[in-house]
Amino acid sequence: MDDLIKEYEGIIPGKLLEDIKRESKEQSLIKKQVKIVLDKVKEEYENAKIDPGEAIGIITAESFGEPSTQMVLRTFHFAGVAEVNVTLGLPRLIEIFDARKIPETPSMEIHLKSEYKNDPKQVRKIASLIKETKLEDISREFTVNLVKSSIEVSLDRELMRELSITPTLLVDSVQNSLKTVSVKYKDDDALVIKSKSPEGELSDIYRLKEKAKNAHVKGIKGVTQVVPVKTGNEYVIQTAGSNVREVMEIKEVDVENVLSNNIFETAEVLGIEAAKETIIREAVKVIENQGLDIDIRHIMFIADVMTATGNIKGITRAGITSEKESVLARASFETPIKHIINASIIGEVDSLNSVVENVMVNQAVPLGTGLPGLLAKMSAKLEKEDKKKK
Amino acid sequence: MDENKKLNFNPHDHVLVPKHTKISEEEKQKILQQYNVSLKQLPKILRLDPALQNIEVQKGDLIKIERKSPTTNKAVVYRVVV
């Protein structure tokens, strides 16, 4: 039986073969019957294939267009796990396909190594390592001393102990993130920050105060919220804010399973193929959340187009449209005058190979039956006609 | 990209990264002939792509990528190094 199914490898996709294998076992089919099934499936599969010259881009656009008009009606809703808000719905979909550099609500899904992922206590501890702590978070008050032109920060000792921040660590990290200041720790739980440039203006000290509030103390930069979530039988840490590279350096984290919703960051750390996967994952998430039904093949196709150049290109005039070879095709999308003037300055040639430019010059488009060129053998016919004349 | 080298893990191990392999010159011609395409028409991958950091590649090499696909289990695609 397995041999028979193996024969069809490469002719029928693996997933269908698996289905057939499972079903035929359940129905206890004999070899002859399986053969009939396989042939039938092969026929159906061949029929379902897209014809050469089919305008698949338009089909994808329509498949997305119709459901997304539905989406506009219930847009701007937030949803997510516990306290982490995630943009969903049409705004998120636009964000993905426009390939915005930083999403509105960046987030990560961090899986942990197997020895930690089942213990809620450990998970919470790791989560607190990941969350960014700023100076503002562990202080009670910021006081500006105008005479000494310094800032005194009174600290919350209990919070510090809870987060296991020692005075030396605090001084070092504040020094690191503010650079041009001297930082001292006083015994009565206060931090004195003094600017190194002696004669500062009054507004400088207030600016320094604002900067000091945001000074990085501990954790991973950019991660503002962490929530351990139980999914299945393991704990996963959901975050608001994304910084894949630094998270991967924490030793309790399963480096092979850190997922970010930031497409560009994924491309930078893991490469273009991972970015493509992320586009698909994120788009599917939105669509499923909205209860819509768009075939995944359309999403895969868009993701392929967006990553075809090795970089991520959005579906915008700065993205994939600028990659088009034809001047007229580019001009037909947005800012036509700019494209046409630039093309005429450098003397660009349009070879009218694609669809849009042929519509513009009123010619048959190379699609469907318009795609193949016909070569007729004229000589035989001409000979006959010649004979008739004689 | 240089910063990436500091990372103590191989992007290849990550769940999102499919298997990348370099295709030999001989096989490359065979594939191009089989699909009747030129290198210019294929999708591209940057030479500095993190997923290629353990493979020695040059401009014009063909990379075979074996993706897991929700529709066909395994899908093979090719990218040209640029």
Side-chain angles (χ1 to χ4, degrees), chain A residues 164-306:
Chain A
S164 56
I165 299 169
T166 58
T168 33
L169 179 108
L170 182 67
V171 170
D172 280 353
S173 50
V174 172
Q175 183 81 63
N176 263 337
S177 54
L178 290 176
K179 301 233 160 62
T180 58
V181 294
S182 67
V183 183
K184 260 184 210 135
Y185 188 80
K186 281 207 300 197
D187 295 332
D188 50 341
D189 289 326
L191 204 65
V192 180
I193 302 169
K194 205 171 176 184
S195 178
K196 267 180 188 163
S197 50
E199 289 292 307
E201 277 196 35
L202 205 57
S203 58
D204 287 348
I205 193 98
Y206 281 103
R207 213 171 292 141
L208 184 65
K209 183 183 154 193
E210 290 308 311
K211 252 178 149 182
K213 275 185 182 173
N214 283 320
H216 173 83
V217 177
K218 197 181 165 237
I220 285 162
K221 265 184 199 162
V223 179
T224 52
Q225 278 181 49
V226 281
V227 182
V229 183
K230 189 162 192 179
T231 48
N233 50 1
E234 64 166 316
Y235 284 90
V236 174
I237 298 173
Q238 297 258 357
T239 69
S242 177
N243 195 339
V244 175
R245 186 167 282 150
E246 281 186 32
V247 166
M248 281 176 172
E249 274 162 20
I250 296 175
K251 68 176 194 305
E252 289 93 346
V253 166
D254 180 7
V255 286
E256 292 163 23
N257 213 341
V258 177
L259 308 169
S260 167
N261 74 347
N262 186 337
I263 300 161
F264 279 86
E265 202 186 338
T266 310
E268 207 179 287
V269 182
L270 298 169
I272 194 74
E273 279 293 320
K276 196 210 111 167
E277 274 317 301
T278 307
I279 294 173
I280 297 173
R281 259 172 50 92
E282 290 298 317
V284 167
K285 226 194 261 172
V286 174
I287 285 155
E288 275 180 358
N289 180 275
Q290 297 278 316
L292 300 173
D293 187 26
I294 301 177
D295 196 292
I296 193 169
R297 276 160 259 249
H298 297 306
I299 302 163
M300 286 158 74
F301 173 53
I302 292 188
D304 265 335
V305 173
M306 284 172 72

Side-chain angles (χ1 to χ4, degrees), chain A residues 24-38:
Chain A
S24 56
K25 219 168 252 166
E26 260 173 41
Q27 308 285 339
S28 55
L29 298 180
I30 57 165
K31 204 172 175 184
K32 213 172 164 190
Q33 288 169 312
V34 176
K35 171 94 178 139
I36 295 171
V37 172
L38 282 167

